[in-house]
Amino acid sequence: MNTHTESTPASPAPSGIAAVTAEAELAREREMGAGNGGTAEREIRVIDLGDFDDRRAEIAGQLWDAATEIGFFQLSGHGIDRHETDAAFAAARAYFALPAEVKAGQALRPGSNAGWEYRSQVRPSTGTPDEKESFQLTRPRMAGMWPRESELAGFRATLLSFEARCHDLAMRVLGCFADRLGLPEGFFAARHDPSAPDHQSTLRLLHYYATSREAAVRAMAENSWRAGAHTDFDCLTLLFQREGQEGLQVCPGREAGERRWTPVPARSSLITCNIGDMLARWSGDRLPSNFHRVAPPHPDGDLGPRYSIAYFAQADGSALIADPDGVHAPVTAADYLRQRIAANFAG
């Protein structure tokens, strides 16, 4: 059953307003630049979601404090089993090992956020393509975007199952933020409805390429990045990493002017989370979105590939993003996301 609803007193903003309302986020990314900056010690809190129903108020307080004081946090006791994440990563590795001509059959359609892209994401902060390839799963947009079963058996089923698990977890976390924002029960779940035709949440498989020592030295000298500094477009990001595959660095948005970055250790058992620009808008900036990037490997470190999986909880297209205090101009999620994708992807 399609339970997608949207009740707001205002009419959706015209499409032209998306470019206006998103320009501030794009300007922040451009201002970050590609500079290395210094390092800073910051606490990355680990929040246990165990006994969620009985501890919901306590967990909501911990999530709120971590999100408002630091901006990034990690989840334990989240209920997604290790075998599920291992299966998703195995599927990712198998997909990226396919010949380029096979993956080209699922080439990313402009504006769709579905399919395969290869070095096509250009961050406003750097002006250069990220050193990666990725595969996006956005449920209503996947027609013709899957490899054939004969090419990669079980890939579709594995990813759809894992995406559903991520959705359920993201809605639990967003439900806690809704509690603290004084929003009604199920507010965010109703606006992230997997059965809605304009559903926009995305599961993204990421593969950062192996490199040579010479290339790593050059990357350090040229201050280039596997993924340049950026905030996410969404409400909430869940990031899965593999043990020892380091590189993620964070800089809270409220401290962006200091350009100081904190490495986040890669732990297979933990899910790293951050607030995105959609939720920052919905909260009137009480929940700030935060910058992060992926550093190139150190010349004397692990030069092998890096794999990660991200789930982006992005509101359904018809949802109107409007904060109660009018800090930001209202905009539909479809218009907002369309403008942000257009600013990041070539082609």
Side-chain angles (χ1 to χ4, degrees):
M1 181 176 67
N2 187 333
T3 59
H4 177 66
T5 60
E6 184 62 50
S7 58
T8 59
S11 299
S15 60
I17 204 168
V20 176
T21 57
E23 181 56 35
E25 284 93 347
L26 291 169
R28 289 174 70 214
E29 288 195 16
R30 294 188 192 103
E31 290 167 4
M32 286 300 287
N36 186 28
T39 59
E41 290 295 324
R42 295 185 179 96
E43 177 189 14
I44 306 296
R45 296 179 190 172
V46 177
I47 298 170
D48 181 8
L49 299 189
D51 300 319
F52 182 83
D53 291 339
D54 293 335
R55 297 177 52 237
R56 178 167 177 144
E58 174 193 351
I59 291 169
Q62 293 175 356
L63 290 169
W64 182 268
D65 290 346
T68 56
E69 295 171 10
I70 304 165
F72 281 80
F73 51 90
Q74 294 181 307
L75 302 177
S76 64
H78 44 72
I80 298 180
D81 295 334
R82 178 66 180 268
H83 79 270
E84 294 176 283
T85 57
D86 286 349
F89 273 101
R93 292 178 71 99
Y95 178 80
F96 292 126
L98 291 172
E101 57 269 23
V102 173
K103 291 180 288 187
Q106 300 94 47
L108 186 77
R109 297 174 185 143
S112 72
N113 225 20
W116 175 68
E117 65 84 20
Y118 169 78
R119 286 190 168 118
S120 69
Q121 187 162 16
V122 180
R123 304 289 182 183
S125 60
T126 63
T128 59
D130 287 352
E131 289 298 312
K132 63 167 176 56
E133 62 179 327
S134 63
F135 179 85
Q136 282 73 234
L137 188 175
T138 303
R139 279 185 180 258
R141 304 173 183 172
M142 296 305 293
M145 303 304 285
W146 296 103
R148 293 191 295 269
E149 194 71 8
S150 59
E151 295 169 330
L152 201 59
F155 180 74
R156 177 174 180 167
T158 297
L159 287 197
L160 286 172
S161 175
F162 190 70
E163 188 266 358
R165 298 284 282 135
C166 291
H167 172 81
D168 291 345
L169 175 58
M171 292 308 104
R172 274 193 284 159
V173 175
L174 286 174
C176 288
F177 287 126
D179 293 347
R180 298 301 297 251
L181 290 167
L183 297 171
E185 178 76 21
F187 179 88
F188 288 116
R191 290 155 178 80
H192 294 75
D193 178 7
S195 67
D198 62 348
H199 186 63
Q200 298 188 123
S201 293
T202 298
L203 183 73
R204 191 177 201 196
L205 314 180
L206 296 130
H207 171 213
Y208 301 92
Y209 305 107
T211 189
S212 64
R213 188 177 190 281
E214 293 74 17
V217 170
R218 187 166 58 253
M220 291 185 67
E222 296 174 354
N223 207 15
S224 63
W225 301 90
R226 277 178 157 173
H230 63 283
T231 57
D232 289 339
F233 315 153
D234 60 350
C235 286
L236 177 72
T237 300
L238 309 178
L239 180 69
F240 299 81
Q241 302 184 89
R242 297 280 83 181
E243 204 81 24
Q245 294 187 5
E246 311 294 348
L248 178 64
Q249 299 178 354
V250 302
C251 179
R254 287 177 177 160
E255 301 176 27
E258 299 178 17
R259 310 289 202 279
R260 296 194 301 155
W261 297 85
T262 299
V264 179
R267 299 289 181 267
S268 298
S269 61
L270 301 177
I271 302 173
T272 301
C273 302
N274 65 272
I275 305 302
D277 294 327
M278 278 187 179
L279 188 55
R281 287 172 168 275
W282 243 320
S283 70
D285 292 332
R286 283 177 284 177
L287 293 166
S289 58
N290 294 280
F291 284 98
H292 47 288
R293 65 187 184 185
V294 179
H298 191 278
D300 296 325
D302 181 3
L303 301 175
R306 181 181 188 271
Y307 294 89
S308 63
I309 300 175
Y311 180 78
F312 302 104
Q314 299 172 152
D316 300 339
S318 59
L320 186 67
I321 304 172
D323 68 88
D325 301 319
V327 175
H328 299 283
V331 61
T332 63
D335 284 340
Y336 178 72
L337 192 59
R338 187 179 303 116
Q339 198 275 339
R340 294 300 301 272
I341 291 173
N344 273 264
F345 283 93

